[in-house]
């Protein structure tokens, strides 16, 4: 017998160059919450397109998505 | 002229319609820690600070962030494209910066390969064009090349920032004549960006007529960064005053200050 799936199917995505899994239906906002990142400090790019903060909650992640989550650090 | 409450007649300068009193822009990189960054920047009197855009460390999202030590409501953040070697990467980086902070005023730099990291002017011109078209206000790091500087100005860049010498080299202003030539031909602010190693070199940039100076390593890599930040603050003020005062002519022969009449015999 196959084991029962107890949670939603996971999607494989890549965040800042690292593979990650998120639940199917997860949004950018869900991902950031899971990562513990606060809104005023980061910006998100998905497959080379900026995801505006106002669209985080409505943007669902898809298999194979490549995300960049960036912030400001010291620099000259 | 923008009305931002500063007293009229003071020696402030304007870039992209924003007025600033301090003519020193400092980087926020290469310090020992964020506490030292904050203390040095405060001591410098700078109102604008450059910042880099990088991936968040996902394994430690609660790590202290620059904003907690250098608050963006107190300092004007000038996001840079440090580390970008193509126009595409630079434009992409600044679009992310605009999204992260909502700032249109940016520092563009597109660099050639080590060991000089000299500005790649072909890529810089390409990126500047795309950014200006996209509504950015571009302060641009560039070669000390008056032809390229003029093109960048005509393209709509809001400040021209030729290097004094290679980034982080501390070699000072290797071609003061070209810096002065760019200052004289430009109708937007010219800043020396990169190469300043000590206070006299920051003063020299201002004596050449620059509107302001941008530096980072000269403070961060000094033995005592906070003290060097104070020195740079005064150097920029002194250099600016000397420029406005107008230096005396150089002469190949002595010209004594004391009267030659009335000498004892």
């Amino acid at each position: 017998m196959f084991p029962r799936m107890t949670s939603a199917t996971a999607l494989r995505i890549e965040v800042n160059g690292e593979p990650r899994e998120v639940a199917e239906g997860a949004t950018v906002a869900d991902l950031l919450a899971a990562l513990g990142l606060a809104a005023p400090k980061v910006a998100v790019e998905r497959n080379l397109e900026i995801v505006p903060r106002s669209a985080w909650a409505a943007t669902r992640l898809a298999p194979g998505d490549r995300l960049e989550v960036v912030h400001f650090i010291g620099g000259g | 002229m923008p009305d931002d409450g500063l007293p009229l007649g003071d020696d402030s300068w304007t870039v992209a319609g924003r007025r600033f009193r301090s003519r020193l822009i400092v980087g926020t990189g290469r310090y020992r820690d964020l506490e030292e960054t904050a203390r040095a920047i405060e001591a410098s009197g700078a109102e604008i600070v450059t910042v880099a855009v990088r991936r968040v460390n996902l394994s430690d999202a609660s790590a202290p962030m620059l904003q907690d030590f250098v608050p963006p409501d107190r300092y004007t953040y000038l996001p840079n494209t440090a580390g970008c070697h193509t126009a595409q990467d630079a434009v992409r980086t600044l679009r992310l910066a605009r999204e992260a902070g909502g700032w249109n005023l940016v520092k563009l730099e597109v660099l050639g390969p080590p060991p000089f990291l000299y500005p790649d002017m072909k890529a810089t011109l390409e990126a500047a064009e795309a950014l200006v078209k996209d509504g950015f206000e571009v302060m641009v790091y560039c070669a000390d090349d008056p032809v390229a500087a003029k093109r960048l100005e005509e393209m709509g860049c809001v400040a021209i920032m030729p290097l004094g010498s290679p980034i982080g080299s501390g070699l000072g202003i290797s071609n003061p004549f070209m810096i002065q030539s760019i200052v004289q031909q430009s109708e937007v602010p010219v800043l020396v960006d990169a190469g300043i190693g000590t206070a006299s070199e920051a003063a020299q940039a201002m004596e050449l007529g620059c509107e302001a100076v941008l530096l980072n390593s000269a403070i961060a890599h000094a033995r005592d960064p906070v003290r060097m930040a104070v020195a740079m603050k005064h150097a920029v003020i002194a250099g600016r005053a000397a420029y406005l005062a107008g230096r005396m002519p150089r002469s190949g022969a002595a010209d004594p200050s004391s009267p030659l009449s009335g000498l004892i015999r």
Side-chain angles (χ1 to χ4, degrees):
Chain A
M1 256 177 65
F2 293 105
R4 266 176 75 99
M5 290 291 286
T6 51
S7 59
T9 320
L11 300 180
R12 284 161 173 256
I13 61 169
E14 193 183 293
V15 184
N16 288 358
E18 294 170 15
R20 282 194 99 82
E21 292 194 346
V22 294
E24 192 168 333
T27 64
V28 170
D30 296 332
L31 172 70
L32 293 176
L35 293 170
L37 292 170
K41 293 178 178 176
V42 302
V44 179
E45 185 193 78
R46 177 185 177 226
N47 304 329
L48 302 176
E49 297 279 339
I50 300 273
V51 184
R53 201 160 290 160
S54 57
W56 286 357
T59 304
R60 288 189 190 282
L61 297 166
D65 273 357
R66 298 184 62 188
L67 286 101
E68 294 286 344
V69 183
V70 302
H71 66 156
F72 292 120
I73 65 154
Chain B
M1 178 160 295
D3 178 15
D4 51 15
L6 292 180
L8 287 174
D10 73 344
D11 186 36
S12 60
W13 67 292
T14 301
V15 60
R18 299 160 168 88
R19 260 174 98 195
F20 298 96
R21 268 166 290 207
S22 171
R23 291 174 177 269
L24 180 59
I25 299 178
V26 294
T28 54
R30 317 188 84 174
Y31 288 94
R32 274 187 282 271
D33 51 43
L34 288 166
E35 283 88 1
E36 188 184 71
T37 311
R39 280 189 295 121
I41 288 167
E42 176 158 28
S44 77
E47 295 164 302
I48 307 177
V49 298
T50 63
V51 296
V53 179
R54 290 292 182 273
R55 285 174 164 173
V56 172
N57 178 1
L58 298 177
S59 58
D60 187 11
S62 64
M65 287 191 180
L66 183 68
Q67 280 107 313
D68 302 326
F69 291 82
V70 182
D73 54 0
R74 177 166 168 203
Y75 298 98
T76 298
Y77 269 31
L78 184 67
N80 70 23
T81 59
C84 291
H85 293 271
T86 66
Q88 191 188 10
D89 281 349
V91 171
R92 195 178 157 203
T93 297
L94 291 177
R95 285 188 177 140
L96 276 164
R98 178 165 64 182
E99 175 59 23
W103 299 293
N104 275 351
L105 187 65
V106 294
K107 171 182 162 180
L108 171 65
E109 55 186 297
V110 190
L111 306 178
F116 301 120
L117 300 178
Y118 200 77
D120 178 333
M121 291 314 296
K122 184 170 179 285
T124 299
L125 286 156
E126 190 186 327
E129 187 170 29
L131 289 166
V132 169
K133 199 178 284 180
D134 198 11
F136 285 93
E137 292 170 314
V138 182
M139 300 176 71
V140 58
Y141 175 64
C142 58
D144 55 349
D145 167 352
V147 178
K150 200 62 185 171
R151 286 217 179 109
L152 288 164
E153 181 184 335
E154 286 164 356
M155 218 174 246
C157 290
V158 298
I160 304 298
M161 307 201 292
L163 78 169
S165 51
I167 294 169
S169 69
L171 290 172
I173 300 176
S174 37
N175 197 340
F177 170 73
M178 283 335 293
I179 298 290
Q180 193 167 33
S181 304
I182 293 170
V183 167
Q184 284 165 357
Q185 71 167 18
S186 299
E187 282 162 37
V188 295
V190 175
L191 290 78
V192 164
D193 176 1
I196 299 297
T198 189
S200 57
E201 293 157 4
Q204 185 193 11
M206 297 307 296
E207 287 171 356
L208 293 171
C210 291
E211 285 289 313
V213 176
L214 198 167
L215 53 88
N216 188 153
S217 305
I219 294 177
H221 281 185
R223 197 169 56 239
D224 180 344
V226 175
R227 193 176 285 242
M228 185 57 90
V230 174
M232 289 299 183
K233 173 182 174 172
H234 292 301
V236 166
I237 292 169
R240 174 68 181 170
Y243 171 73
L244 293 175
R247 62 155 297 139
M248 65 166 283
R250 289 181 167 88
S251 162
D255 183 11
S257 306
S258 304
L260 291 176
S261 60
L263 285 166
I264 57 167
R265 299 206 183 259

